Amino acid sequence: MVHIESIEKHAKYWVNAEVLVFNSYLWWRMPTFKILNGSLGNSTQYDVVSNHHGYNMVIKVLSKWLHDHVNHTRTQLYFMSMTATHHSGTEWGMKDDQNCLNETDPITKDRFWESESDLKLMRILQLSLNKLKEKGVNVQVVNITHLTQYRKDAHPSIHRLYNYPLTTTQLANPSSYADCTHWCLPGVPDVWNELLLAYILGKHK
């Protein structure tokens, strides 16, 4: 459920920032969303929309806020692109459709592209940012998508602390609870930060 008009609650603290970095992806992989029409206190007033439609609505709200409230000559704006999830082992040559469990090497397949990465969401974002740039607000996309496609070895998998006891069924089938969504440190997220820092420092040259 998305309260699409709630950006002001937190965004009021962003107005004088020197650097703003946005990202949003995995939550939008759900097929549908409830978009609240009323207040948070009345969650019965909502429309059900597709993930692409909901994402487009939210990006438009963000774009309008950036245009209306940010000092375009002072604040550096960045948007980190989507990351991979590595749920489908057949895509990198496995005989079955296992996830990233026990993967210790990157994918070496040439020009690999994970099918679960939603290109339509990327196009929605880029189109909105292009329109924003025409109005004088430049949001630089830091494209980490293809970089993460190859790193099936960089997820926590089963090597993480769980907040709840695992069931007997889960313990018997580790692939059912292997975490292929988040990323390990040190590693890939460090590279994301290094790329972002290069963008930021490059602005001052």
Side-chain angles (χ1 to χ4, degrees), residues 9 81 137:
K9 178 180 179 180
S81 68
V137 184

Side-chain angles (χ1 to χ4, degrees), residues 49-66:
V49 300
S50 70
N51 59 344
H52 295 123
H53 183 57
Y55 187 72
N56 188 47
M57 293 172 69
V58 168
I59 294 299
K60 283 184 177 179
V61 170
L62 173 63
S63 296
K64 186 179 187 306
W65 185 89
L66 291 174

Side-chain angles (χ1 to χ4, degrees), residues 178-195:
D179 185 349
C180 303
T181 299
H182 296 93
W183 298 82
C184 293
L185 285 172
V188 175
D190 294 322
V191 176
W192 302 343
N193 291 334
E194 289 171 2
L195 289 172

Side-chain angles (χ1 to χ4, degrees), residues 88-98 103 107-109 112 152:
S88 181
T90 54
E91 293 192 343
W92 61 77
M94 303 301 295
K95 293 182 179 179
D96 52 28
D97 203 24
Q98 72 179 59
E103 295 294 342
I107 294 169
T108 57
K109 187 177 179 181
F112 175 75
K152 61 181 170 58

Side-chain angles (χ1 to χ4, degrees), residues 3-5 15 17 19 29 55 72 125 127 134-135 138 160 165:
H3 189 203
I4 201 163
E5 300 298 337
V15 175
V19 177
R29 292 300 311 279
Y55 187 72
H72 312 153
L125 172 64
L127 181 61
E134 292 173 359
K135 298 177 181 179
N138 184 29
R160 50 162 286 196

Side-chain angles (χ1 to χ4, degrees), residues 101-144:
L101 176 67
N102 294 327
E103 295 294 342
T104 57
D105 296 307
I107 294 169
T108 57
K109 187 177 179 181
D110 188 37
R111 296 182 181 179
F112 175 75
W113 185 266
E114 183 184 61
S115 63
E116 291 191 26
S117 292
D118 195 325
L119 288 174
K120 187 171 182 178
L121 287 180
M122 290 187 74
R123 286 193 290 268
I124 289 172
L125 172 64
Q126 192 62 63
L127 181 61
S128 293
L129 297 187
N130 287 345
K131 291 179 179 178
L132 199 55
K133 189 172 183 178
E134 292 173 359
K135 298 177 181 179
V137 184
N138 184 29
V139 181
Q140 177 68 55
V141 175
V142 182
N143 195 334
I144 59 173

